[in-house]
Amino acid sequence: MGKAVAAAESKELEILNELDQDIESGMGQDFKSTDLLIPRITILQDLSPQTKERRAEYVDGARAGMIYNNVNDALETSMLFVPALYHSPYIAWKPRPDGGLVNNDVDPAFLTEENGFYKDGVDRFIGHMRPNPNDDPVKVEVIKTPEWVGIAQGQDWVMPVAISFAGTKAKAARRMNTNIDMTEKMGEDGKLRKYPPFYHTFVMRTALEQSGDNEWFGWAVSHSGTENTDARLRHKGRELRRAFMEDRVTVASPEET
């Protein structure tokens, strides 16, 4: 048994050494930013198509309450998240019970009576939109939605992701914002410093929420502080923030997932 384990470890080390040589010699793929998508992380609900075996979107093992990565189909019960950039785009969603993303960046100038929209509360509009150019219009709720873009780490993957905090999930975004904004550290020079968001790490889990007879899964977020942030994830978060500020990347839209 010991020899088999040693042989397996030796083979793995050989593969890693070969991988490092390929990377250092420039054999990796050099994609342009326009060739890539930033995945969208969502929480699966009871009616999510990923949980329905007869739906094309079905993912083996998916169940309500799981964290879902819509690019690599990864399913997680928890993940680490290093935030990079916060913004609040207007996002179009299908109303419950269907649910689902329709457009992840609606121009506010489009949300007018002339285009069939009416205001329904603060930063919330009701109307109809086409999910794709050839689709029939569907009823949508367009909501100014808190969203964090950052670096997520699952069980066996690390990549940039976007997380939208629609509806009641917004309280989780406010919790993250508050931790980032109010956390200061005293340096050896005696100065207090407020760290950029990518110095922070959060543990993202899900929790069952309820209002009346309705139940759904929302975010349960805990702050791991700044000392435990992996330097590699911090570097990736810094580069991701810079890429967004320079308009070099975009979040996956519905028709691309």
Side-chain angles (χ1 to χ4, degrees):
M1 186 68 177
K3 290 183 178 179
V5 172
E9 290 178 346
S10 176
K11 183 64 176 178
E12 178 67 18
L13 183 59
E14 179 183 338
I15 292 173
L16 290 175
N17 288 335
E18 183 178 352
L19 173 62
D20 288 339
Q21 291 173 14
D22 285 337
I23 293 173
E24 291 172 3
S25 62
M27 294 296 287
Q29 182 66 51
D30 184 20
F31 289 109
K32 298 178 181 178
S33 61
T34 52
D35 296 326
L36 303 175
L37 298 174
I38 290 188
R40 186 173 292 279
I41 296 293
T42 58
I43 301 174
L44 297 182
Q45 307 294 339
D46 288 328
L47 297 178
S48 296
Q50 291 79 11
T51 67
K52 309 298 182 183
E53 290 192 23
R54 298 193 176 204
R55 296 288 295 270
E57 302 92 337
Y58 174 70
V59 178
D60 188 30
R63 63 179 186 274
M66 282 186 161
I67 299 169
Y68 174 61
N69 181 321
N70 72 352
V71 166
N72 66 2
D73 285 335
L75 299 167
E76 307 288 347
T77 56
S78 68
M79 69 178 190
L80 296 182
F81 182 68
V82 175
L85 182 74
Y86 176 79
H87 63 152
S88 298
Y90 279 90
I91 297 180
W93 308 87
K94 293 179 185 177
R96 292 175 182 170
D98 295 334
L101 179 69
V102 176
N103 189 306
N104 64 356
D105 193 6
V106 180
D107 185 346
F110 179 73
L111 305 174
T112 63
E113 291 184 8
E114 290 78 7
N115 289 323
F117 283 88
Y118 67 91
K119 193 168 185 178
D120 183 36
V122 178
D123 294 325
R124 183 173 183 267
F125 298 82
I126 305 296
H128 288 78
M129 294 184 69
R130 298 177 188 272
N132 297 295
N134 296 325
D135 292 345
D136 293 330
V138 297
K139 185 177 181 181
V140 295
E141 301 172 348
V142 183
I143 307 169
K144 191 174 184 180
T145 306
E147 184 170 272
W148 270 106
V149 178
I151 307 299
Q153 178 178 327
Q155 293 184 65
D156 56 4
W157 56 270
V158 174
M159 66 174 65
V161 302
I163 306 176
S164 295
F165 297 86
T168 59
K169 299 182 184 71
K171 61 187 178 184
R174 290 194 294 270
R175 180 182 178 89
M176 294 172 65
N177 297 350
T178 301
N179 274 292
I180 292 170
D181 186 63
M182 300 189 70
T183 300
E184 294 183 315
K185 297 294 182 181
M186 183 76 74
E188 294 183 0
D189 56 3
K191 293 182 180 180
L192 282 172
R193 288 178 173 82
K194 186 180 295 185
Y195 290 117
F198 47 82
Y199 279 73
H200 297 259
T201 298
F202 292 87
V203 179
M204 313 289 290
R205 298 185 178 89
T206 66
L208 189 64
E209 300 183 14
Q210 184 174 9
S211 177
D213 294 331
N214 296 321
E215 290 185 341
W216 65 92
F217 286 93
W219 287 110
V221 178
S222 58
H223 186 221
S224 294
T226 58
E227 292 84 357
N228 297 324
T229 300
D230 189 304
R232 295 165 297 180
L233 301 185
R234 182 171 64 243
H235 172 72
K236 288 180 179 291
R238 181 188 297 110
E239 292 303 308
L240 179 61
R241 182 179 179 88
R242 181 177 292 117
F244 258 90
M245 295 176 70
E246 296 173 355
D247 293 323
R248 291 188 283 112
V249 292
T250 186
V251 177
S253 58
E255 64 271 15
E256 295 172 313
T257 60

